[in-house]
Amino acid sequence: MIITKTGRRMFPTVRVSFAGCRSEARYAVLLDVVPVDGKRYRYAYHRSSWLVAGKADPPAPARLYPHPDSPFSGDQLRKQVVSFEKVKLTNNEMDKNGQIVLNSMHRYQPRIHLVKVRDGGGPITDLSREQHRTFIFPETVFTAVTAYQNQLITKLKIDSNPFAKGFRDSSRLTDFDRDPMELMLMEQQLLRSPLRLYSGASSTIEEEAEKRAVWARTPPALQLLALGGRAWPSAWPQPLGLPPDLWLQKPPAPVRYCPYPPPAHPSAPRPDHSPSPRHPM
């Protein structure tokens, strides 16, 4: 799940339905997100998997997110699906908008709480004082990140997220709007796989084969950007029919026009003060 300073909507959305509720009772449905363990993770690109990177950062104070339509009657809960599509995730510990605060590169478990509302009761802040049931779905465990670590996940979310319509329907964008979006997607892919192909570390035969496969799926434009001025490896296929030494060439230094000659060193002979041919007097 992506988390940002300003808050990002949680997608996929948590949706639940209930059965067995009393018709005359009133219920509040709340969501919170708790750490799965006390570890911090990192993404291993050559393995396409998450690895433990150390101890977890201190967690932010837990927050309960009440569904905006709460409270519900028992009949309403039996007839409809409760969707938490408006909940937002953030890494801003100073947030005052009721968003759920998480740490990046940590694993979390969403929980659903069904609370029976008391007559004359106020906002629910402590579940231990309420009559409630907690529901946990292990398949909803996720890792909080500030940027997607796998470009396949990036594509999957763009194709499925209703709030990513601007990325899918690029035909409705002007050239001014489309270029930044395409550049954003290119940068996302560039940062996630090609640059890792030349880390300088030793690799096994299996890892080398995986790198070759990833490189073969990378568009030529991203391959050029991934090299960053380094020599094109002879073992990799050439995307363009250009000489290999071209990748080592650097653009010439910009030529600056100055109408007057540069000042001479004090020990140097004084120049002739005849008029410059470019500036006749």
Side-chain angles (χ1 to χ4, degrees):
M1 296 287 183
I2 289 288
I3 58 177
T4 62
K5 288 292 184 182
T6 57
R8 180 69 65 88
R9 286 182 185 249
M10 188 176 179
F11 183 82
T13 304
V14 176
R15 296 184 175 91
V16 293
S17 58
F18 297 92
C21 299
R22 297 181 179 179
S23 302
E24 68 280 3
R26 300 175 68 216
Y27 300 90
V29 183
L30 301 94
L31 168 75
D32 69 352
V33 180
V34 296
V36 172
D37 50 33
K39 302 175 183 178
R40 178 183 176 88
Y41 293 82
R42 65 179 179 87
Y43 188 75
Y45 294 88
H46 63 283
R47 297 183 181 180
S48 297
S49 61
W50 289 92
L51 303 177
V52 176
K55 296 178 61 177
D57 298 330
R63 288 185 176 182
L64 288 172
Y65 179 85
H67 193 278
D69 295 336
S70 292
F72 299 91
S73 66
D75 289 335
Q76 288 177 322
L77 289 180
R78 288 198 302 266
K79 296 178 181 178
Q80 71 182 62
V81 175
V82 179
S83 175
F84 286 90
E85 57 187 13
K86 295 183 179 180
V87 64
K88 289 187 176 183
L89 308 178
T90 182
N91 55 356
N92 181 14
E93 296 182 357
M94 306 301 293
D95 175 74
K96 299 180 180 179
N97 299 319
Q99 302 175 5
I100 296 180
V101 183
L102 306 177
N103 289 324
S104 180
M105 297 298 182
H106 292 65
R107 300 184 68 195
Y108 291 95
Q109 169 70 69
R111 302 187 304 179
I112 300 295
H113 307 282
L114 180 64
V115 181
K116 187 175 182 181
V117 178
R118 297 175 296 175
D119 294 336
I124 301 173
T125 57
D126 187 359
L127 290 175
S128 62
R129 300 180 180 180
E130 308 291 341
Q131 184 179 353
H132 72 285
R133 290 282 302 274
T134 298
F135 302 91
I136 297 176
F137 304 94
E139 61 270 20
T140 60
V141 171
F142 66 88
T143 304
V145 296
T146 55
Y148 291 127
Q149 308 298 301
N150 188 324
Q151 55 183 311
L152 298 179
I153 297 297
T154 303
K155 184 179 185 304
L156 176 63
K157 290 213 171 186
I158 289 177
D159 293 341
S160 306
N161 192 343
F163 298 101
K165 183 174 177 59
F167 287 92
R168 295 191 302 272
D169 191 8
S170 60
S171 61
R172 299 178 56 186
L173 303 176
T174 64
D175 292 339
F176 180 80
D177 296 328
R178 187 182 299 109
D179 290 344
M181 292 215 175
E182 293 178 352
L183 180 60
M184 186 183 304
L185 290 177
M186 289 179 63
E187 289 178 348
Q188 184 73 22
Q189 296 177 4
L190 175 64
L191 293 175
R192 297 306 163 209
S193 62
L195 285 178
R196 297 287 175 169
L197 298 174
Y198 301 97
S199 59
S202 59
S203 57
T204 63
I205 298 178
E206 292 78 6
E207 293 174 356
E208 187 69 18
E210 182 180 355
K211 292 179 181 179
R212 288 174 178 268
V214 174
W215 184 261
R217 297 193 300 267
T218 304
L222 294 181
Q223 293 177 352
L224 298 179
L225 293 175
L227 291 174
R230 289 165 289 193
W232 191 281
S234 58
W236 298 94
Q238 301 285 334
L240 301 174
L242 299 176
D245 59 348
L246 179 63
W247 315 113
L248 295 178
Q249 298 179 9
K250 297 182 179 180
V255 179
R256 299 181 179 179
Y257 171 74
C258 180
Y260 302 99
H265 193 271
S267 62
R270 299 180 64 84
D272 184 11
H273 292 285
S274 58
S276 173
R278 290 180 292 178
H279 295 276
M281 299 180 63

